[in-house]
Amino acid sequence: MKQEEKEAKKAEKEAKKSEKKTEDAELKAEVKELRAHLVGLQQTVREKGQPIIVLVEGWAAAGKGSLINQLISEIDPRNYNVFSPVITPESEARYPFLYPYANAIPENGKIMFYDSGWMEDCVRKYLHRDITKDEYKKRVRAVGEFERQLRDGGYLLLKLFVDISEKEQRKRITALRENFETEWRVSNDDIWQMNEHKLFEDSYESFMEKTGKVIPWHVVDGSRRALAARDALKLLVGQIDKALEEGRYVGKPFKENFPLLKMPKLSEVDLSPALTDEEYQKELKKLQNRLHELHNVIYRKKIPVILCYEGWDAAGKGGNIRRIAKPLDPRGFDVMPIASPEPHEKNRQYLWRFWKRLPRSGHVCIFDRTWYGRVMVERLEGFCSEDDWKRAYNEINEFERQLTDWGAVVLKFWIHIDQDTQLQRFNDRQNTPEKAWKLTEEDWRNREKWPQYEEAIDEMLEKTSTKNAPWFIIESNDKKYARIKALKIVVKALEEACEERLA
Amino acid sequence: MKQEEKEAKKAEKEAKKSEKKTEDAELKAEVKELRAHLVGLQQTVREKGQPIIVLVEGWAAAGKGSLINQLISEIDPRNYNVFSPVITPESEARYPFLYPYANAIPENGKIMFYDSGWMEDCVRKYLHRDITKDEYKKRVRAVGEFERQLRDGGYLLLKLFVDISEKEQRKRITALRENFETEWRVSNDDIWQMNEHKLFEDSYESFMEKTGKVIPWHVVDGSRRALAARDALKLLVGQIDKALEEGRYVGKPFKENFPLLKMPKLSEVDLSPALTDEEYQKELKKLQNRLHELHNVIYRKKIPVILCYEGWDAAGKGGNIRRIAKPLDPRGFDVMPIASPEPHEKNRQYLWRFWKRLPRSGHVCIFDRTWYGRVMVERLEGFCSEDDWKRAYNEINEFERQLTDWGAVVLKFWIHIDQDTQLQRFNDRQNTPEKAWKLTEEDWRNREKWPQYEEAIDEMLEKTSTKNAPWFIIESNDKKYARIKALKIVVKALEEACEERLA
């Protein structure tokens, strides 16, 4: 009897072992096949210019890095990159929290793996009490917007969460800590997470629920590496196959309810206001002195300031900007002239080149032309699809709200003149050798499209003048009036911001 | 008598006052005129694409910022930028010390003002004992090379030192500290400098002497702001005038004595070495395992690693790189495919786009094609002048020495095949649908220029295989042999580096 039992047990063990062996072999074969498929796909991904983002979040010691390793194992290193964010303590962060992630998006035809990302950043800082609940909520909203905008811009976004149990995590972290060679891999944060497993679990779950509606999360079982690799590869290959088959996705426009300020139509604007030389000089001096003082406070209170200039050709943008820039400490501001995008910029979502140019907190950035090119020149010249520019109103409102949520003062100026004044200035430029360079063939071509532009601008002003990032129409038939008006608006906004914020 | 004396004194005082008044008025008029001249110049600077760097160094509280303010006051903000470096403590620096300055060079047609720069960085860290004397000397040498390379690449470089006396500095710093509004502007370093005036004076003087031979320093008297502005404006306007008149400068090639390794001519290389599948698999596994281990040590010891791949089309660069990349932790390496430069890259000194792509310390960067394009494709296709590519051997040796001085391991591979093998592989690519994309018209065109390329490559190998950054010819008629050879070289170099360095 005893002997029998023993043998039965042994047989059972053997059976289990062999089953496991078969399973392992099957898994291995499957992984191999999926990888081969992925390798085959990469050329089409490149040719079709499909950009791919794989976000790998999950528990400490769940094997995120090793999973990424398994995914990339056979891909040509020229076709992908891995981005490992350094999560800066909130006290040292000088950019919007999405900044490093937005900066790292891949160009068309490439794959970017994020080795943890905006989820870990949000959750950890919230649990650390680095950010308030209100701030956390705003960030969760921003994440949703960011992800949707990428998808609507044609990005394939796969979000993975590598899951292990509390017991498994403790086992792994303990093993890492016991070995001299691997001890350094365990951070204090990891230990804290291990000890507060439930807290983190709830937070991750809640984050995934809130951000999983548009682009779903996929939980991958991290308890067995081969299994995790198989499941992740399956998802990745499946989604790439689908994306390549369906062609590049273009998101449909939709409207969110941003509180909008009522703007007049351009045709209703009275362009007659003017200033005498004397009034101008007096006001100019006063306002510039005040702006100079405020710049110091801005700098100390680390308030980011973003001034956006758009306007008709020859409306006087340059001179207006110069009057703002003059009293500023040159160490604390930049003027960003925006021309047509370069190839590496065209190859990414259209807001990317503006993300890259954002000022550090405490600095002033003056954009000489802006992201509104999307709904003006790109719309009128057909550089993007109708869905693209129609979607942009909402996307831009979201982007600007992310900036003001970060703490930025965002002011937008439409430098306005009428057609007669423009013609006069064009002729003046043409007839003055020192100014002739300012006038191009394109200016004349744009002038012919005045009515179409006016329609686009009216729509832009109507749909994007939000309370947090308002538009101001600056009457610039008289340039002196225009400069003083813009200066006054900037001074007033900065005074309010300096008043509100603690140092 | 007494009355007479009094009157005489009064008259004298009056005379002095009126003299001072005249002088001030003259100074003001002069500054105004110079500024107007500068404003007039900016358009030509832009049209001719002349890049300009103005380095403003000097004592704390000497008025560097205010001087820059005076210089830019009338320039269009779209034509210049001001760069204020944040000098990172040596312990946190993860890039070569010239990295932030090299990254900030202006593009053609623009002016960049450096509000203090590499001089302050070097001197302060040396006096802080953050760096050794030997390290300091290397940095001074690097500064000289960096400046010369910019000049030779057509940059106008004006170096100013704003000087004030010990007494004046003490007065100004004390005044700043006594005022609540300005107190924060005085750093501990400033106070330290004030108290160690003589030490700093000697160090600045010595630095200027050592780095002033190629591009001279100009000491500007900072005791009176208007005077400093006048003098600086005069220098700037004078140098721009001269540069515009003489046309863009192209430096002449010259030879420095780098210790070079003897390299064979390509025609002498025996391309027959090969491995059996079995040998290959065995070695591959062993070497990749070792490389994986070493990558951990590299990361912990913060050793930067730069691997450079050049080679004939179809020589097998991609596959070779993949075998190196595979065992590396994807969080710690990047592959940088180098294509032809984009407009914003073409508009700057040719090494700029490589400066921008340098890895952080502890990371591995694999360049798939490199800065050696200068002496190969750019030479043969006439994309740069003869002086340009002949100068490049020396410039590149200097650049690479700056990298190895920083602590980087720099290894350069020429992946070599013969013409028959290339033809075979081209044909194979042409006849295999999955590989056809790899073959372009340009590959065939390059192939026709094989003899010219071979000559250029021989010269490159001869002139740039330095002891600190050696070339390795990788025989790649048999790709397996080539991969194992490259892996062995990398493993050996990293083992040596890990051995040498302290954690």
Side-chain angles (χ1 to χ4, degrees):
Chain A
M1 192 86 161
K2 223 179 171 185
Q3 185 63 14
E4 249 168 57
E5 247 174 48
K6 253 189 195 166
E7 261 167 34
K9 253 191 188 160
K10 203 176 158 192
E12 202 184 316
K13 231 183 185 173
E14 286 291 317
K16 254 195 189 157
K17 216 171 164 184
S18 118
E19 198 183 307
K20 174 92 173 31
K21 225 174 176 176
T22 322
E23 205 187 302
D24 277 356
E26 277 172 15
L27 213 51
K28 217 172 159 185
E30 227 180 323
V31 165
K32 204 174 161 189
E33 202 181 305
L34 284 162
R35 263 192 204 145
H37 190 99
L38 184 57
V39 168
L41 284 176
Q42 66 180 331
Q43 184 42 29
T44 322
V45 166
R46 195 147 88 168
E47 273 168 14
K48 295 207 172 176
Q50 173 65 53
I52 299 170
I53 290 173
V54 183
L55 172 64
V56 183
E57 302 270 11
W59 293 97
K64 297 189 288 288
S66 116
L67 177 62
I68 291 177
N69 253 324
Q70 303 249 27
L71 296 177
I72 60 174
S73 148
E74 305 292 330
I75 314 177
D76 188 326
R78 287 170 289 196
N79 292 335
Y80 74 86
N81 276 100
V82 177
F83 177 67
S84 307
V86 179
I87 300 180
T88 318
E90 194 57 22
S91 55
E92 290 165 28
R94 299 293 294 266
Y95 290 100
F97 91 100
L98 280 173
Y99 179 82
Y101 312 108
N103 262 283
I105 61 170
E107 59 184 324
N108 291 342
K110 297 225 173 176
I111 312 179
M112 180 64 83
F113 294 89
Y114 286 74
D115 185 355
S116 93
W118 45 92
M119 171 178 182
E120 186 59 28
D121 197 338
C122 284
V123 169
R124 202 200 292 178
K125 281 192 179 151
Y126 176 52
L127 295 182
H128 258 289
R129 304 201 181 178
D130 270 344
I131 54 172
T132 63
K133 181 145 198 172
D134 185 50
E135 179 66 17
Y136 175 74
K137 276 185 183 166
K138 285 178 181 169
R139 291 191 182 188
V140 168
R141 181 176 64 192
V143 162
E145 293 164 353
F146 175 65
E147 292 181 350
R148 172 176 30 72
Q149 289 196 17
L150 286 175
R151 181 203 61 181
D152 287 355
Y155 282 68
L156 164 58
L157 176 52
L158 175 61
K159 302 191 299 186
L160 305 175
F161 182 87
V162 189
D163 192 28
I164 47 173
S165 68
E166 185 173 354
K167 199 174 141 197
E168 179 70 19
Q169 188 186 37
R170 191 166 292 275
K171 200 176 95 189
R172 290 189 190 178
I173 287 183
T174 311
L176 286 170
R177 290 177 79 190
E178 276 169 358
N179 182 338
F180 166 77
E181 283 287 312
T182 54
E183 194 191 354
W184 60 279
R185 288 173 176 272
V186 180
S187 71
N188 286 341
D189 268 356
D190 296 344
I191 295 167
W192 175 53
Q193 183 184 81
M194 181 179 81
N195 293 329
E196 297 285 354
H197 195 93
K198 182 81 185 92
L199 179 68
F200 271 88
E201 191 168 64
D202 291 348
S203 307
Y204 286 146
E205 273 173 10
S206 144
F207 186 95
M208 286 197 272
E209 199 212 307
K210 288 195 182 79
T211 58
K213 274 156 209 148
V214 175
I215 311 208
W217 282 96
H218 300 275
V219 176
V220 168
D221 177 2
S223 60
R224 271 178 70 198
R225 303 216 156 167
L227 212 61
R230 197 267 317 264
D231 291 347
L233 270 166
K234 228 180 196 170
L235 284 163
L236 181 57
V237 166
Q239 297 211 359
I240 296 179
D241 269 337
K242 190 160 165 276
L244 292 178
E245 201 188 302
E246 291 175 356
R248 186 140 179 182
Y249 184 77
V250 180
K252 289 267 165 273
F254 69 100
K255 208 180 160 284
E256 223 197 278
N257 280 328
F258 277 90
L260 295 172
L261 300 171
K262 175 93 186 107
M263 296 296 288
K265 296 244 174 249
L266 286 186
S267 58
E268 299 163 10
V269 174
D270 173 13
L271 281 164
S272 67
L275 289 180
T276 65
D277 266 356
E278 204 186 347
E279 287 167 327
Y280 172 64
Q281 290 299 345
K282 203 180 126 195
E283 288 276 354
L284 183 68
K285 204 172 168 186
K286 198 184 75 184
L287 287 162
Q288 286 188 333
N289 284 341
R290 183 68 188 127
L291 186 53
H292 179 76
E293 289 168 5
L294 286 165
H295 195 210
N296 264 324
V297 187
I298 287 293
Y299 184 81
R300 271 188 294 158
K301 295 199 172 184
K302 296 206 175 69
I303 302 171
V305 179
I306 295 167
L307 306 180
C308 302
Y309 274 81
E310 293 283 358
W312 297 106
D313 293 326
K317 279 202 317 297
N320 204 302
I321 290 173
R322 251 191 335 275
R323 299 321 184 281
I324 303 277
K326 183 147 186 201
L328 302 178
D329 185 329
R331 287 168 285 195
F333 85 93
D334 265 305
V335 174
M336 292 286 173
I338 302 299
S340 33
E342 294 205 2
H344 69 293
E345 297 171 330
K346 254 188 226 143
N347 274 333
R348 289 186 172 87
Q349 203 254 7
Y350 71 101
L351 288 175
W352 180 75
R353 60 184 182 132
F354 304 104
W355 273 105
K356 275 199 92 76
R357 286 171 167 85
L358 291 180
R360 308 174 70 209
S361 63
H363 283 239
V364 177
C365 185
I366 305 176
F367 283 95
D368 182 358
R369 303 199 187 276
T370 67
W371 39 94
Y372 284 97
R374 191 71 167 182
V375 295
M376 293 196 288
V377 57
E378 291 186 38
R379 163 183 177 174
L380 290 180
E381 301 293 338
F383 296 153
C384 63
S385 74
E386 192 174 330
D387 278 343
D388 283 335
W389 64 258
K390 284 194 169 166
R391 218 173 51 236
Y393 299 113
N394 196 49
E395 290 173 339
I396 287 174
N397 284 342
E398 291 173 343
F399 172 59
E400 291 175 356
R401 185 169 59 188
Q402 288 164 24
L403 298 179
T404 54
D405 278 350
W406 163 47
V409 174
V410 178
L411 305 171
K412 303 176 302 200
F413 297 122
W414 176 260
I415 310 297
H416 190 42
I417 52 173
D418 55 36
Q419 274 179 286
D420 289 347
T421 306
Q422 187 186 52
L423 185 60
Q424 211 177 307
R425 291 188 188 164
F426 276 15
N427 286 331
D428 181 43
R429 286 181 176 183
Q430 209 154 34
N431 301 327
T432 319
E434 312 91 81
K435 292 184 186 170
W437 63 273
K438 284 188 170 185
L439 193 67
T440 64
E441 277 306 308
E442 213 190 324
D443 292 338
W444 289 107
R445 278 199 304 277
N446 289 342
R447 183 174 161 77
E448 278 169 31
K449 295 191 179 167
W450 187 290
Q452 294 95 305
Y453 268 101
E454 185 163 326
E455 194 191 325
I457 296 155
D458 277 335
E459 189 172 355
M460 166 184 92
L461 296 174
E462 183 202 324
K463 293 187 170 165
T464 60
S465 194
T466 54
K467 231 187 118 192
N468 54 306
W471 274 106
F472 298 92
I473 296 174
I474 306 292
E475 300 83 349
S476 191
N477 270 7
D478 179 72
K479 289 182 183 175
K480 299 192 291 289
Y481 177 84
R483 292 166 188 167
I484 297 302
K485 180 166 176 182
L487 268 165
K488 276 185 179 164
I489 292 165
V490 173
V491 163
K492 183 161 171 274
L494 297 192
E495 276 177 346
E496 283 168 10
C498 291
E499 190 99 338
E500 274 170 24
R501 319 286 171 88
L502 297 172
Chain B
M1 192 88 158
K2 220 179 172 182
Q3 186 63 15
E4 250 167 55
E5 246 175 46
K6 253 190 196 164
E7 263 167 30
K9 252 192 188 159
K10 204 178 160 191
E12 202 184 316
K13 231 183 184 171
E14 287 290 317
K16 253 195 189 157
K17 216 172 165 184
S18 119
E19 199 183 306
K20 174 95 174 27
K21 226 176 176 175
T22 322
E23 206 187 300
D24 277 356
E26 277 172 16
L27 212 52
K28 218 173 159 184
E30 229 180 321
V31 165
K32 205 175 160 188
E33 203 181 305
L34 284 162
R35 261 191 204 147
H37 190 100
L38 185 57
V39 168
L41 285 176
Q42 66 180 330
Q43 185 43 32
T44 323
V45 166
R46 195 148 87 168
E47 274 168 13
K48 295 207 173 178
Q50 173 65 54
I52 299 170
I53 290 174
V54 182
L55 173 64
V56 183
E57 301 271 11
W59 294 97
K64 296 189 288 287
S66 117
L67 177 62
I68 291 176
N69 253 322
Q70 303 249 27
L71 296 177
I72 60 174
S73 149
E74 304 293 331
I75 314 177
D76 188 324
R78 286 171 288 195
N79 292 334
Y80 74 84
N81 277 100
V82 177
F83 177 66
S84 307
V86 179
I87 300 180
T88 318
E90 194 57 22
S91 55
E92 290 165 27
R94 298 293 294 266
Y95 290 100
F97 91 100
L98 279 173
Y99 179 82
Y101 313 109
N103 262 283
I105 60 169
E107 58 184 325
N108 290 342
K110 299 226 174 175
I111 313 180
M112 180 63 83
F113 294 88
Y114 286 75
D115 185 357
S116 94
W118 44 93
M119 172 178 181
E120 186 59 29
D121 198 338
C122 284
V123 169
R124 200 199 292 178
K125 281 192 179 151
Y126 176 51
L127 294 183
H128 257 290
R129 304 199 181 179
D130 269 346
I131 55 173
T132 64
K133 180 144 199 171
D134 185 50
E135 178 66 18
Y136 175 73
K137 276 186 183 165
K138 284 178 181 170
R139 291 191 182 189
V140 168
R141 180 175 65 192
V143 162
E145 294 164 353
F146 176 64
E147 292 181 351
R148 173 176 31 71
Q149 289 196 18
L150 287 175
R151 181 204 61 181
D152 287 355
Y155 281 67
L156 164 58
L157 176 52
L158 174 62
K159 302 191 299 186
L160 304 175
F161 182 87
V162 189
D163 191 28
I164 46 173
S165 68
E166 185 173 356
K167 200 176 141 195
E168 180 70 18
Q169 187 185 38
R170 191 167 291 275
K171 200 176 97 189
R172 290 190 190 177
I173 287 183
T174 311
L176 285 170
R177 290 177 79 192
E178 276 168 0
N179 182 339
F180 167 76
E181 284 287 312
T182 55
E183 195 192 351
W184 60 279
R185 288 173 176 273
V186 180
S187 72
N188 286 340
D189 269 356
D190 296 342
I191 294 167
W192 175 54
Q193 182 184 84
M194 181 178 80
N195 293 329
E196 297 284 354
H197 196 92
K198 184 79 185 95
L199 179 67
F200 272 88
E201 191 168 63
D202 291 347
S203 307
Y204 286 147
E205 273 173 10
S206 143
F207 186 95
M208 285 198 271
E209 199 211 307
K210 288 195 183 82
T211 58
K213 273 156 208 148
V214 175
I215 317 228
W217 282 96
H218 299 275
V219 177
V220 169
D221 177 2
S223 60
R224 272 177 69 197
R225 303 216 156 166
L227 212 62
R230 198 265 320 262
D231 291 348
L233 271 165
K234 227 180 197 171
L235 283 163
L236 181 57
V237 165
Q239 297 210 359
I240 296 179
D241 269 336
K242 190 160 164 274
L244 293 179
E245 200 188 302
E246 290 175 356
R248 185 140 179 181
Y249 184 76
V250 179
K252 289 268 165 273
F254 70 100
K255 206 180 162 284
E256 225 198 277
N257 279 328
F258 277 90
L260 295 172
L261 300 172
K262 175 93 187 108
M263 296 296 288
K265 295 241 174 252
L266 287 186
S267 58
E268 299 162 11
V269 174
D270 172 14
L271 281 164
S272 67
L275 289 180
T276 65
D277 267 355
E278 204 186 347
E279 287 167 327
Y280 172 65
Q281 291 299 347
K282 203 180 126 197
E283 289 275 354
L284 183 69
K285 203 171 168 185
K286 197 184 74 186
L287 287 162
Q288 287 188 332
N289 284 341
R290 183 68 187 127
L291 186 53
H292 179 76
E293 289 168 5
L294 286 165
H295 195 210
N296 264 325
V297 187
I298 287 293
Y299 183 82
R300 270 187 295 158
K301 296 200 172 185
K302 296 205 175 65
I303 301 171
V305 179
I306 294 167
L307 306 179
C308 302
Y309 274 81
E310 294 283 358
W312 298 106
D313 293 326
K317 279 201 317 300
N320 204 302
I321 289 173
R322 249 188 342 271
R323 298 322 183 281
I324 303 276
K326 182 149 186 197
L328 303 179
D329 185 328
R331 288 168 284 194
F333 85 94
D334 266 305
V335 173
M336 293 286 172
I338 302 298
S340 33
E342 293 204 3
H344 69 293
E345 297 172 329
K346 255 188 223 141
N347 274 332
R348 289 185 173 88
Q349 203 255 5
Y350 71 101
L351 288 175
W352 180 75
R353 61 185 181 131
F354 304 104
W355 273 105
K356 275 199 92 78
R357 287 171 167 85
L358 291 179
R360 308 174 69 209
S361 63
H363 283 239
V364 177
C365 185
I366 306 177
F367 283 95
D368 184 358
R369 303 198 188 278
T370 66
W371 39 93
Y372 284 97
R374 191 71 165 181
V375 295
M376 294 195 288
V377 57
E378 291 186 37
R379 163 183 177 173
L380 291 180
E381 301 292 339
F383 296 153
C384 63
S385 74
E386 192 175 330
D387 278 343
D388 283 335
W389 63 259
K390 285 194 168 165
R391 219 174 49 236
Y393 299 112
N394 196 50
E395 290 173 339
I396 287 174
N397 284 342
E398 290 173 343
F399 172 59
E400 291 174 357
R401 185 170 59 189
Q402 288 164 24
L403 298 179
T404 54
D405 278 350
W406 163 46
V409 174
V410 179
L411 305 171
K412 303 177 300 200
F413 298 122
W414 176 260
I415 310 297
H416 190 44
I417 51 174
D418 55 36
Q419 275 180 286
D420 290 347
T421 306
Q422 188 186 52
L423 184 61
Q424 210 179 308
R425 291 190 189 162
F426 276 15
N427 286 332
D428 180 43
R429 285 181 177 184
Q430 208 153 36
N431 302 328
T432 319
E434 313 91 81
K435 291 185 186 169
W437 62 274
K438 284 188 171 186
L439 193 66
T440 64
E441 278 305 309
E442 212 189 326
D443 293 338
W444 288 107
R445 277 199 305 276
N446 289 341
R447 182 173 160 78
E448 278 169 33
K449 295 192 181 168
W450 187 290
Q452 294 95 306
Y453 268 101
E454 185 163 326
E455 194 191 326
I457 295 155
D458 276 336
E459 189 173 354
M460 167 184 92
L461 296 175
E462 183 203 325
K463 293 188 170 166
T464 60
S465 194
T466 54
K467 233 189 117 190
N468 54 305
W471 275 105
F472 298 92
I473 297 174
I474 306 292
E475 300 83 350
S476 192
N477 270 7
D478 179 72
K479 289 181 184 176
K480 299 191 292 287
Y481 177 84
R483 292 166 188 169
I484 296 302
K485 180 166 177 182
L487 267 165
K488 275 186 179 163
I489 291 166
V490 173
V491 163
K492 182 160 171 275
L494 297 193
E495 277 177 347
E496 283 168 9
C498 291
E499 190 99 338
E500 274 169 23
R501 319 285 171 90
L502 297 173

